[in-house]
Amino acid sequence: MKATALAHPNIALVKYWGKRDEALILPHQSSLSLTLAPMSVTTTVEFGATSSDHVEINGHTAKGSERERVLRVLEVVRAEKGGALGPARMVSRGDFPAAAGLASSAAGFAALAVAARAAAGLPEDAKAASMLARLGSGSACRSVQGGFCEWRRGEREDGTDSYAVQRFDAGHWPELRMVVAILNRDEKEVKSRDGMRHTVETSPYYPAWVKDAEAEVPRAVEVIQRKDLQALGDLSERNAWRMHATSLAAEPPLCYLHANTLGLIEHLREQRKKGMPVWFTLDAGPNPVLLTDAAHEVAAEALARACGAVDVVRCVPGGDAVLKSEHLF
Ligand code: DP6
């Protein structure tokens, strides 16, 4: 009745931006990401040992929506076992550097889904775990497996065909590097959940985003297949620009870019003109993630620092979420 799992975060190269179903977390379009090591979240779940549910994240008792999202995932597992599992204790810990700038929620809900299913005695099943993780946070469905994962939007209203599948494992392209440039540590941004809802509701560009992003996924798979860094870099940049363009067109506009974000992007373009293989992607915040190869990761870190990065995290392709024999309690 007790199990522990470890999962890595992921960075989307074709972004997920907007839900067609808020309750089931079903996206309007498919997306594609790379799972990132070495950062990880470890989560232990035990059913039936306490008198009420207890959720602890990074040393704090979770409250409000954070707690609700975890309990929702646990509730689905209980229902699958006919409700006989009893209250749960869940403890989760991330090893992210304090200012990693990457949300730990994707890794957190992926680890929770894998641990909760195992604690309930359900079989290891990447598809079922991906759908379960999705109910906590959409992007988490892509962290159940390593390497490059595609979240297929699905067509069904009940969400049973909306989950991530691994297209290439972590060993497919070991020289690929993602360098996270922390330019700003503030947490004042509009959260992804709210930002994407606002964009869906008010941006006249949103339908164009959906159509374009869906078409980019098979193109991304094709360039990853042949390990074409330039083509993947170009594709990642234009997809990030288009996600931000649809948000900038919202009413009122939503701008995640800061002055130093643009400064770094400009400097990166200059370096690229001079022959450095480096591109960027940008989630719902001001901190770019640079795409390069192993031979240029040190230079990419230097570029980020020269543009004011206060912290830099160098990442490599990460593996699947895994069960661990050591528990957190
Ligand atoms: C910009 O998965 O955090 O990082 O499903 O509401 O929990 P919810 O949102 P979340 O959004 C991620 C948005 C993104 C792009 C991406 O990771 O695909």
Side-chain angles (χ1 to χ4, degrees), residues 10-12 14-17 19 25 31 69 103 105 134 136-140 142 151 192-194 196 243 282-284:
N10 70 76
I11 181 85
V14 179
K15 313 280 184 201
Y16 141 57
W17 196 243
K19 298 175 182 68
I25 311 203
S31 55
R69 285 164 75 174
S105 61
R134 192 199 75 220
S137 185
S139 54
R142 300 184 311 236
W151 176 10
S192 294
R193 186 158 291 193
D194 303 325
M196 66 174 85
M243 182 196 110
L282 188 68
D283 278 347

Side-chain angles (χ1 to χ4, degrees), residues 39 48 75 86 118 132 202 224 259:
M39 291 176 284
E75 201 45 57
L132 184 60
T202 68
I224 294 164

Side-chain angles (χ1 to χ4, degrees), residues 257-278:
L257 296 118
H258 289 199
N260 54 6
T261 313
L262 285 168
L264 187 149
I265 290 170
E266 203 169 309
H267 186 56
L268 177 147
R269 283 174 158 175
E270 281 163 16
Q271 294 306 110
R272 199 158 70 216
K273 268 192 209 147
K274 290 182 190 159
M276 183 174 167
V278 62

Side-chain angles (χ1 to χ4, degrees), residues 13 47 126 140 149 168 179 189 202 205 209 213 215 262 303 309 318 326:
L13 302 171
F47 288 106
C149 292
F168 305 96
V179 178
E189 306 302 326
T202 68
Y205 295 178
W209 155 261
L262 285 168
L303 185 160
E326 266 177 44

